[in-house]
């Protein structure tokens, strides 16, 4: 499938509002990696609105990898790769399923699919907040690991938005904060690198999209530092709920 006309030339450089939204989306990617998880879903919506649903997945992926590399360096003492490998086979299977679906969807259907994925993940967040303690026993079942892995692979390939799915897995294992963040970062660094050849094969990563990444990368770095500052001065719970409402309204707009 051929890549759409140059995103950098025809969207960002010809529209100040599109460039601003893309920069805010990139900023939110960095803030999400700094610990403000709710920003991640909002960034997905902003990029889908700005660049188109399908094209945005290819533009966002290298930005996520850059943020993952920074996060891995900062959190390398927490968790281990051994805690990631059980999820690797089902997650790769999920990526393959998501790749097949994404190749078949046109931009309108991809837009609606991303909207529904975000709505499902927001519902999952509510379930996590309500039944957090009841998740403790789930990690004992192999079917749970495979179900989470496949779901994470599909949602990350379709929408770059599998954070809440991975949170279910890590909460069930009751990791301490350092291990939780270390495993979380390792998993997404691994799975986002796995996604690169699949996204390139269907034309979502190429020269123009990488130039767009170069333009937006400084905002990702700025978002990481801004996220650290926000975490220190603002209640994370209040911030996360504000992002929840924003993502909910935006996701409804995507599926409408």
């Amino acid at each position: 499938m051929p890549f759409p006309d140059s995103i950098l030339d025809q969207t960002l450089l010809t529209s100040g509002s599109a460039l601003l939204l893309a920069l805010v989306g990139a900023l939110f990617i960095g803030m999400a990696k700094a610990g403000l998880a709710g920003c991640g879903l909002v960034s997905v919506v902003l990029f889908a609105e700005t660049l188109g649903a399908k094209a945005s997945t290819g533009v966002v992926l290298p930005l996520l990898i850059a943020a993952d590399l920074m996060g891995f360096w900062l959190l390398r003492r927490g968790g281990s790769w051994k805690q990631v490998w059980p999820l690797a086979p089902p997650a790769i299977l999920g990526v393959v399923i998501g790749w097949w679906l994404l190749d078949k969807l046109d931009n309108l259907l991809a837009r609606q699919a991303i909207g529904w994925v975000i709505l499902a993940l927001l519902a999952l967040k509510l379930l996590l907040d309500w039944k957090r303690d009841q998740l403790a026993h789930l990690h004992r079942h192999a079917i749970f690991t495979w179900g989470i892995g496949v779901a994470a692979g599909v949602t990350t390939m379709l929408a770059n938005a599998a954070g809440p799915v991975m949170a279910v897995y890590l909460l069930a294992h009751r990791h301490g904060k350092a291990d939780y963040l270390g495993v979380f970062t390792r998993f997404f660094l691994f799975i986002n690198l796995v996604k690169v050849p699949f996204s390139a094969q269907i034309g979502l990563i190429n020269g123009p999209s990488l130039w767009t990444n170069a333009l937006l990368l400084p905002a990702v770095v700025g978002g990481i530092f801004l996220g650290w500052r926000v975490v220190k001065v603002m209640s994370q719970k209040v911030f996360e709920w504000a992002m929840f409402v924003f993502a909910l309204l935006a996701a409804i707009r995507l599926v409408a």
Side-chain angles (χ1 to χ4, degrees):
M1 179 181 295
F3 188 78
D5 292 337
S6 173
I7 295 169
L8 183 60
D9 293 340
Q10 296 193 12
T11 302
L12 296 186
L13 293 185
T14 59
S15 170
S17 59
L19 176 59
L20 178 61
L21 285 176
L23 287 170
V24 172
L27 192 76
F28 277 14
I29 287 174
M31 293 175 71
K33 296 299 180 180
L36 297 170
C39 293
L41 294 181
V42 177
S43 72
V44 170
V45 174
L46 289 174
F47 276 107
E49 284 283 356
T50 305
L51 302 177
K54 289 189 71 169
S56 69
T57 60
V59 171
V60 168
L61 180 56
L63 298 176
L64 290 173
I65 292 171
D68 288 332
L69 286 168
M70 288 183 276
F72 172 67
W73 175 255
L74 293 170
L75 300 168
R76 62 191 183 281
R77 292 185 176 87
S80 72
W81 286 105
K82 289 190 298 183
Q83 294 164 294
V84 173
W85 299 140
L87 276 176
I92 293 172
L93 174 60
V95 166
V96 172
I97 295 171
W99 162 73
W100 180 82
L101 290 172
L102 195 58
D103 192 33
K104 301 298 181 184
L105 299 177
D106 61 26
N107 195 62
L108 176 60
L109 288 176
R111 174 187 173 91
Q112 292 174 337
I114 288 173
W116 283 113
V117 165
I118 291 173
L119 289 174
L121 294 175
L122 291 173
L124 180 59
K125 173 187 165 32
L126 294 178
L127 179 63
L128 288 178
D129 291 342
W130 181 39
K131 294 289 187 180
R132 187 175 298 264
D133 292 338
Q134 282 78 0
L135 293 172
H137 67 283
L138 291 177
H139 70 276
R140 303 189 187 102
H141 304 288
I143 192 170
F144 170 73
T145 299
W146 272 81
I148 288 291
V150 171
V154 172
T155 53
T156 194
M157 191 67 206
L158 286 178
N160 291 311
V165 179
M166 190 61 180
V168 175
Y169 180 80
L170 295 175
L171 288 171
H173 280 263
R174 292 187 174 273
H175 290 301
K177 183 178 180 180
D179 280 350
Y180 180 103
L181 293 173
V183 176
F184 191 91
T185 300
R186 282 173 169 81
F187 174 79
F188 280 104
L189 175 58
F190 166 77
I191 205 63
N192 283 332
L193 289 171
V194 167
K195 287 157 51 182
V196 169
F198 292 95
S199 294
Q201 190 276 329
I202 56 177
L204 296 178
I205 294 178
N206 77 345
S209 73
L210 292 174
W211 277 111
T212 306
N213 293 147
L215 177 67
L216 299 177
L217 183 58
V220 175
V221 177
I224 290 176
F225 289 102
L226 178 61
W228 287 338
R229 296 293 297 273
V230 171
V231 167
K232 291 179 180 178
V233 302
M234 183 179 183
S235 165
Q236 181 158 339
K237 186 174 182 180
V238 171
F239 187 89
E240 292 289 335
W241 277 109
M243 292 296 100
F244 180 96
V245 172
F246 191 100
L248 175 63
L249 295 175
I252 292 172
R253 174 180 168 83
L254 287 177
V255 302

